[in-house]
Amino acid sequence: RGKTRSEKNIDGNITMNRSDIRIYGGIENAANKAMADRLGIRQQDVKDYMQSKNLTWHESGDRKTVQAVPNEIEQVFSGEK
């Protein structure tokens, strides 16, 4: 099976302005919007893909860059159990 457009590109990093995060109501919404804009798809498509693959957005130490990572990994980095 061939990969869909989102599967080929969803793993890239996204760099956002802090104002984008405030405008779109948090990191998840801002990252979904930025990735949807990059891929030319709907924001809901990104959200659905992330949920179906058990992915979440991880914010790097620079507080501008986010990356799609498995939920289990994000839980380790965020200190959740």
Side-chain angles (χ1 to χ4, degrees), residues 19-43:
S19 61
D20 290 341
I21 294 169
R22 284 190 300 274
I23 290 167
Y24 295 107
I27 291 169
E28 181 181 357
N29 288 336
N32 287 346
K33 171 136 180 37
M35 184 58 75
D37 290 348
R38 178 188 291 177
L39 299 176
I41 60 176
R42 297 177 316 129
Q43 188 174 342

Side-chain angles (χ1 to χ4, degrees), residues 1 15 24 36-38 40-41 45 50 55 59-60 64 72 79-80:
R1 157 178 111 78
T15 302
Y24 295 107
D37 290 348
R38 178 188 291 177
I41 60 176
D45 294 333
M50 297 282 288
L55 298 171
E59 183 180 18
S60 70
K64 294 187 287 186
E72 297 81 20
E80 296 176 11

Side-chain angles (χ1 to χ4, degrees), residues 1-2 4 12 16-17 25-27 32 34-36 38 45 47 53 55 58 65 67 73 78:
R1 157 178 111 78
T4 67
M16 299 180 293
N17 295 320
I27 291 169
N32 287 346
M35 184 58 75
R38 178 188 291 177
D45 294 333
K47 184 177 179 179
K53 300 297 183 183
L55 298 171
H58 172 73
T65 306
Q67 180 179 21
I73 292 174
S78 67

Side-chain angles (χ1 to χ4, degrees), residues 10 14 34-35 45-46 48 52 58-59 64 68 71 73 81:
I10 198 87
I14 298 172
M35 184 58 75
D45 294 333
V46 174
D48 292 345
S52 74
H58 172 73
E59 183 180 18
K64 294 187 287 186
N71 287 328
I73 292 174
K81 302 217 181 222

